[in-house]
Amino acid sequence: MARLLFSPVLLVYHVSLLLSAISSATVENAPDCVAVGTLISSCTEFVNYGYPDPIPGSSCCDAMTVLGSYSDSSDKKRWLCNCFIDLINVFNSNATAISTLSGFCGIVLGFTIDPNTDCNFIQ
């Protein structure tokens, strides 16, 4: 069986495409949460198994950095928060892992990733 290898060049290419799609969107025309899910997919091992911890410079933390750079307004933070809540609802058994990603990566999103967060009150 062939094994997929991830090239750093391809990762940078895909992250830049996603960042471009995310950053060019207005809140009214916000990208759907698939882009967030795609970025977070680089954290799959941690989300599914709880290890290895993401560290700054890893592909997982690079994805969180992209998302952190997007959360520069209240509307974008609320949108991003709702995307994380959707991910937590889908991967409920892994909610704790998802909620700790920004902390492990040292990224400030402007809200707490938690199933009990009410994204409507984010400022």
Side-chain angles (χ1 to χ4, degrees), residues 1-15:
M1 179 183 295
R3 184 176 168 165
L4 291 177
L5 298 176
F6 292 98
S7 159
V9 173
L10 286 176
L11 176 64
V12 169
Y13 173 74
H14 288 289
V15 168

Side-chain angles (χ1 to χ4, degrees), residues 34-105:
V34 171
V36 174
T38 301
L39 283 166
I40 297 303
S41 70
S42 62
C43 306
T44 299
E45 201 169 330
F46 176 72
V47 170
N48 287 335
Y49 306 110
Y51 61 88
D53 291 348
I55 57 170
S58 67
S59 60
C60 177
C61 288
D62 289 347
M64 291 302 296
T65 300
V66 169
L67 294 174
S69 69
Y70 181 71
S71 61
D72 61 356
S73 74
S74 295
D75 288 337
K76 290 177 182 179
K77 287 176 191 172
R78 282 189 288 275
W79 174 82
L80 190 57
C81 174
N82 282 309
C83 289
F84 273 104
I85 297 300
D86 288 348
L87 282 170
I88 286 173
N89 288 333
V90 170
F91 301 100
N92 196 339
S93 61
N94 304 333
T96 301
I98 294 169
S99 67
T100 61
L101 287 172
S102 61
F104 272 115
C105 296

